[in-house]
Amino acid sequence: MTDVRTAGTLPTTMRASVLYGVGELGVEERPVPVPAPDEVLVEVGSVGVCGSDVHYYQHGRIGDFVVRAPLVLGHEAGGRVVGLGAGVPQQRLGQRVSLEPGIPCRRCDQCRHGRYNLCPDVRFFATPPVDGAFCQYVAVPADFAYPVPEAVSDDAAGLLEPLSVGIWSCRKAGVGPGSRVLIAGAGPIGLVTAQVAAAFGAIEVIATDVAAPRLDAARRLGATGTVPAGTVLADGDAVDAFIDCSGAAPAVDAGIRSVRPAGSVVLVGMGADAIPVPVPVIQGRELRLTGTFRYANTWPLAIALAAAGRVDLDALVTGHFGLDDVSAALAASADPTAIKAIVTPQR
């Protein structure tokens, strides 16, 4: 590793879990990446399994993103800095970090306006053809590897990524002190979104889901109430904001009908390409409806919330798996009694 400073002697090869096609995974030996100028080399500690990983494994594609070549999955990652490219300060060596997995071009109009999540040339971990973090080492820009304090565990360092989705969703919904919020879908994203809403000052956070174990988890993690999926709240119980984390058309319809006039609707979950919405309700109540695409400028707040205990990410973890067991981790993630599987590449 010419011109690369390292924390001791590093191996030249690493193990990586590789997706070859639908339902087909294997473990390969690959070269350890060399950090370019302004990059750090990270020894990956923990990687959360996301629904997108499961979808690529089961279907080989998400929309226009198709697995056409071997792909390393995993984008919810944390680890430790073990190598520095040129221009990176020496004190970064040894730091525990959380990785923001989408690297924008930094030059386009969206980037220059701070909306780098909308950069058309963003390179996002585990999105074809970009490899992810189900491997032992990754090289990333130093400013996208955020130092985390000891109060944030290795697992939580990786789970700052889904926490960022929750932060971005609540920002889009305008959640603040005194808000009443309805969240459809009590999977990992819905559960962190509920915790963020409470941290932002919401006085009522209502969760819906079709799975009873997920609703139990929502109540344990701070939801003030739960209702059966598809419930339309009565006018007197209407909420200020509805955040859909399910992607299910019936949940979206019921959620929109549960919002007070001038309230907000945020669509986070990915379901069908097109779903019906009650247009007269949106128009007649002047609801603000928007989608979300990942996040931007969320990591500092995510770290602060996790470090202060305002959000409990470790409570989401229901299993740990090594690189040889990624298929089991993906299967576990589809189980409604589980919440978040973690892949530990050094295991």
Side-chain angles (χ1 to χ4, degrees):
M1 294 187 178
T2 306
D3 298 326
V4 175
R5 291 153 291 156
T6 63
T9 303
L10 297 177
T12 57
T13 63
M14 66 175 183
R15 301 177 75 238
S17 174
V18 182
L19 178 68
Y20 300 108
V22 174
E24 186 181 358
L25 282 167
V27 177
E28 293 182 0
E29 285 286 331
R30 291 189 170 190
V32 172
V34 177
D38 299 319
E39 288 188 340
V40 294
L41 179 67
V42 176
E43 181 183 70
V44 180
S46 293
V47 191
V49 177
C50 177
S52 64
D53 298 317
V54 177
H55 206 86
Y56 281 125
Y57 177 66
Q58 293 180 339
H59 304 286
R61 68 185 300 154
I62 296 177
D64 294 334
F65 295 103
V66 182
V67 179
R68 304 185 189 279
L71 180 73
V72 177
L73 296 173
H75 63 265
E76 302 175 359
R80 182 173 64 92
V81 175
V82 295
L84 308 176
V88 180
Q90 186 72 21
Q91 61 262 33
R92 296 296 314 259
L93 268 180
Q95 287 183 337
R96 297 175 58 250
V97 293
S98 174
L99 306 185
E100 184 169 357
I103 312 303
C105 76
R106 307 174 191 255
R107 297 181 300 274
C108 70
D109 183 67
Q110 296 298 333
C111 285
R112 289 170 65 86
H113 282 83
R115 301 184 294 264
Y116 62 84
N117 57 312
L118 301 180
C119 172
D121 296 317
V122 66
R123 292 178 56 81
F124 198 90
F125 274 19
T127 301
V130 181
D131 281 333
F134 286 169
C135 56
Q136 292 181 304
Y137 297 90
V138 294
V140 297
D143 58 338
F144 278 66
Y146 296 83
V148 297
E150 289 303 315
V152 176
S153 71
D154 290 346
D155 290 347
L159 298 183
L160 293 175
E161 195 278 340
L163 176 56
S164 285
V165 176
I167 290 170
W168 191 243
S169 302
C170 286
R171 285 178 176 172
K172 286 286 190 179
V175 177
S179 294
R180 301 181 67 250
V181 184
L182 173 65
I183 298 170
I189 296 300
L191 293 174
V192 295
T193 301
Q195 292 188 72
V196 171
F200 278 19
I203 58 172
E204 189 168 7
V205 180
I206 304 166
T208 75
D209 201 284
V210 296
R214 293 290 174 90
L215 293 179
D216 290 341
R219 286 188 287 267
R220 289 196 308 271
L221 292 171
T224 59
T226 59
V227 296
T231 299
V232 177
L233 300 179
D235 288 346
D237 296 322
V239 295
D240 303 296
F242 166 58
I243 302 175
D244 178 70
C245 300
S246 72
V252 172
D253 181 85
I256 291 173
R257 296 177 188 276
S258 298
V259 181
R260 65 160 177 79
S264 299
V265 175
V266 178
L267 304 182
V268 182
M270 296 181 66
D273 289 344
I275 60 174
V277 295
V279 174
V281 174
I282 295 169
Q283 292 177 324
R285 299 182 190 176
E286 291 195 352
L287 303 183
R288 298 181 298 278
L289 188 153
T290 186
T292 62
F293 188 66
R294 298 170 181 158
Y295 34 68
N297 304 302
T298 54
W299 250 257
L301 178 56
I303 293 169
L305 289 175
R310 303 287 300 280
V311 170
D312 188 351
L313 297 173
D314 292 301
L316 303 176
V317 178
T318 49
H320 291 86
F321 302 82
L323 288 176
D324 294 310
D325 301 312
V326 168
S327 59
L330 294 165
S333 298
D335 182 348
T337 64
I339 300 176
K340 179 62 71 171
I342 298 286
V343 172
T344 52
Q346 307 304 324
R347 180 172 173 169

